[in-house]
Amino acid sequence: FFLVGLGRARGAEFLLLKMRGALTGGASYTLMRATARFDEVDNGRRFPSALDQRHELKGFAAFQAGAWDFSAVALYGSGRPYTAPVSQYQLRLLDGTTQNYINVSDKNSLRLPSYQRVDLAASRTFSGGGAFDWRVGVSLYNLLNRRNVAFRKFDLSTDPMTITDVAQRGFTPSGDVKLSWRGERDRLPGVDR
């Protein structure tokens, strides 16, 4: 049930950060190649692992203005590898039955489309006269409503086979409320002063 093999990941990551001031953020770029090799898979040849994403670019920023916090994240990732059936055929055997045959691509030799997403968020903290602070926020996930493909499904019962892209979540707004206690810290057990 388990295969023993070797995996290799090589790459470089570059990171720029701005950590001071009202506007903070940064950008990162990752260049990577990840491969795997199993004696029992693809005749022991090295192939791209499921984690092989050559390029990933991220940008993120946060801005604080009084009781308001704003943030933004943008992501780009090149397509991840997958294996797919490339053809199918049937043979009628001598006993009158039919046998289905499926040819698949080389292991992880195909790539899904690139992944792109932009998220925005804003929140505001309200400090009342009591012992509690309120934080109310709104988030906009996948603001551009990009149809990022998570994986592909193949229905081999149809001729020709049907290929369906299964997408990740599209544009998703959400809201949150957080209630925090502002009590005296020296009254809480286990909290350093």
Side-chain angles (χ1 to χ4, degrees):
F1 289 19
F2 296 95
L3 299 177
V4 177
L6 299 172
R8 179 186 302 167
R10 294 180 179 179
E13 184 168 13
F14 304 93
L15 176 65
L16 294 171
L17 290 175
K18 180 186 181 296
M19 301 299 292
R20 294 187 181 169
L23 177 65
T24 60
S28 70
Y29 171 71
T30 303
L31 173 66
M32 183 186 71
R33 183 170 187 218
T35 59
R37 188 181 67 74
F38 298 89
D39 290 337
E40 298 86 355
V41 177
D42 208 17
N43 297 318
R45 288 182 290 193
R46 194 169 284 286
F47 59 89
S49 82
L51 302 175
D52 185 44
Q53 187 176 37
R54 295 295 159 84
H55 307 281
E56 186 177 69
L57 180 62
K58 295 179 185 175
F60 47 95
F63 180 71
Q64 187 172 17
W68 287 93
D69 289 307
F70 301 95
S71 63
V73 176
L75 304 147
Y76 167 83
S78 57
R80 293 186 184 267
Y82 72 100
T83 306
V86 291
S87 66
Q88 63 180 343
Y89 59 94
Q90 292 181 344
L91 286 179
R92 182 169 292 265
L93 303 178
L94 294 175
D95 64 1
T97 61
T98 58
Q99 178 68 46
N100 292 323
Y101 290 93
I102 300 167
N103 292 324
V104 296
S105 64
D106 288 339
K107 182 72 174 158
N108 287 346
S109 62
L110 303 171
R111 297 275 171 172
L112 293 173
S114 63
Y115 178 92
Q116 300 168 38
R117 198 179 85 222
V118 174
D119 302 334
L120 297 177
S123 64
R124 187 180 195 294
T125 302
F126 298 93
S127 298
F132 295 97
D133 287 338
W134 292 85
R135 187 182 65 80
V136 177
V138 63
S139 298
L140 305 174
Y141 175 87
N142 197 0
L143 181 67
L144 304 176
N145 200 27
R146 175 143 168 107
R147 184 175 155 77
N148 292 304
V149 178
F151 61 93
R152 291 199 160 127
K153 287 186 349 183
F154 302 91
D155 183 358
L156 302 175
S157 67
T158 63
D159 188 19
M161 72 177 145
T162 304
I163 302 171
T164 305
D165 286 346
V166 178
Q168 297 177 352
R169 281 187 302 162
F171 173 66
T172 308
S174 64
D176 64 275
V177 176
K178 180 180 178 183
L179 178 65
S180 301
W181 183 57
R182 283 189 290 130
E184 297 175 279
R185 292 185 60 163
D186 56 356
R187 291 190 180 176
L188 295 174
V191 176
D192 293 335
R193 294 181 188 190

